[in-house]
Every structure is written in C-alpha cells, then in structure tokens.
Amino acid sequence: MNYTTIKNKLEELKSKLEKEIDLYKKEDPYLLEDRSISNTLDDDITETEGHDRIYATQIQLTENLRQVQEALKRIEEGKYGICKRCGQKINSGRLGVMPQAVLCINCQSKVRQRS
Ligand SMILES: [Zn+2]
C-alpha cells in the first residue's frame, strides 16, 4: 500500500473538512451578529431548527476530522490499515472509499450498535 498517496488523500480531506467546519460556524444563526432582536416566535423556532441542524452537521464534520487526524497519526506510527479494536487488517476496498477508517467493518458496526 502506498502511504504517500493515502497521506495526500487524508491531508486533502482534512483541509476540506476544516473549511466546511469554518463555513458552518459562519452560517449558524446563533452566531450572526446582526441577529434581529425583534424576532417573532416563529423566527425563533426557525432559527433554533437551523441551529440544531447546523450543530448536528458540525458534530459530524468534527468527528470526521478527528478520524482523519487519527488516521494520519496511525500512518506516522506505522499502524495505518490495522483495526484499532481487533488488530486485523482493514479491507483495502474500505480504505479506498474511507481512507480515514481506523476500524474494520466488523468493529465499526459493533461500535455503532453500542452507541
Ligand atoms: Zn476490527
């Protein structure tokens, strides 16, 4: 497996995620400076929904970024492509579509079920 290619891919993904997180921060109505004080209740509800949705996306993006950073760290440590949980090799097809994966499919599904 070519680590340089994967590393480039991950670095690319990392800067893309960082930009997206930045963008979402700006879009959050709660953080807008010109937020109207004379909001009606409807406005407030819409705003809250917008905030919740953006917040959920932000969490998702931050989680992805964390995974990318972890994967990069694992390249440095020479552990890339090895499942963090069971120590088995992660399927290369999986790494092709999800280069930031640090768990194999089996472990990933177990982690998901638990949470
Ligand atoms: Zn595993």
Side-chain angles (χ1 to χ4, degrees), residues 13-57:
L13 205 61
K14 194 177 145 209
S15 56
K16 205 184 115 199
L17 284 166
E18 280 167 350
K19 263 182 223 154
E20 272 181 62
I21 290 167
D22 233 39
L23 212 73
Y24 269 102
K25 270 185 198 153
K26 282 173 200 146
E27 265 182 36
D28 193 331
Y30 274 26
L31 301 174
L32 289 181
E33 279 176 24
D34 59 352
R35 187 178 169 219
S36 168
I37 301 158
S38 58
N39 267 0
T40 65
L41 186 61
D42 271 359
D43 280 348
D44 271 345
I45 289 168
T46 313
E47 222 171 50
T48 305
E49 277 174 0
H51 173 76
D52 286 351
R53 207 187 52 234
I54 287 165
Y55 190 62
T57 312

Side-chain angles (χ1 to χ4, degrees), residues 3-111:
Y3 277 6
T4 317
T5 316
I6 294 161
K7 215 178 156 181
N8 285 343
K9 232 177 166 180
L10 285 166
E11 296 281 7
E12 224 172 83
L13 205 61
K14 194 177 145 209
S15 56
K16 205 184 115 199
L17 284 166
E18 280 167 350
K19 263 182 223 154
E20 272 181 62
I21 290 167
D22 233 39
L23 212 73
Y24 269 102
K25 270 185 198 153
K26 282 173 200 146
E27 265 182 36
D28 193 331
Y30 274 26
L31 301 174
L32 289 181
E33 279 176 24
D34 59 352
R35 187 178 169 219
S36 168
I37 301 158
S38 58
N39 267 0
T40 65
L41 186 61
D42 271 359
D43 280 348
D44 271 345
I45 289 168
T46 313
E47 222 171 50
T48 305
E49 277 174 0
H51 173 76
D52 286 351
R53 207 187 52 234
I54 287 165
Y55 190 62
T57 312
Q58 258 183 301
I59 288 177
Q60 188 64 52
L61 288 171
T62 310
E63 173 62 19
N64 282 348
L65 181 63
R66 203 189 52 79
Q67 277 181 7
V68 169
Q69 283 165 336
E70 193 169 10
L72 280 166
K73 205 176 124 219
R74 290 179 77 76
I75 291 177
E76 302 293 331
E77 291 169 347
K79 290 178 199 155
Y80 183 78
I82 309 289
C83 175
K84 203 174 89 176
R85 199 161 170 267
C86 69
Q88 300 282 324
K89 270 185 115 181
I90 302 172
N91 183 289
S92 62
R94 173 169 163 77
L95 289 172
V97 285
M98 236 183 105
Q100 74 273 37
V102 293
L103 292 175
C104 70
I105 291 176
N106 275 340
C107 292
Q108 183 75 64
S109 63
K110 277 176 201 154
V111 169

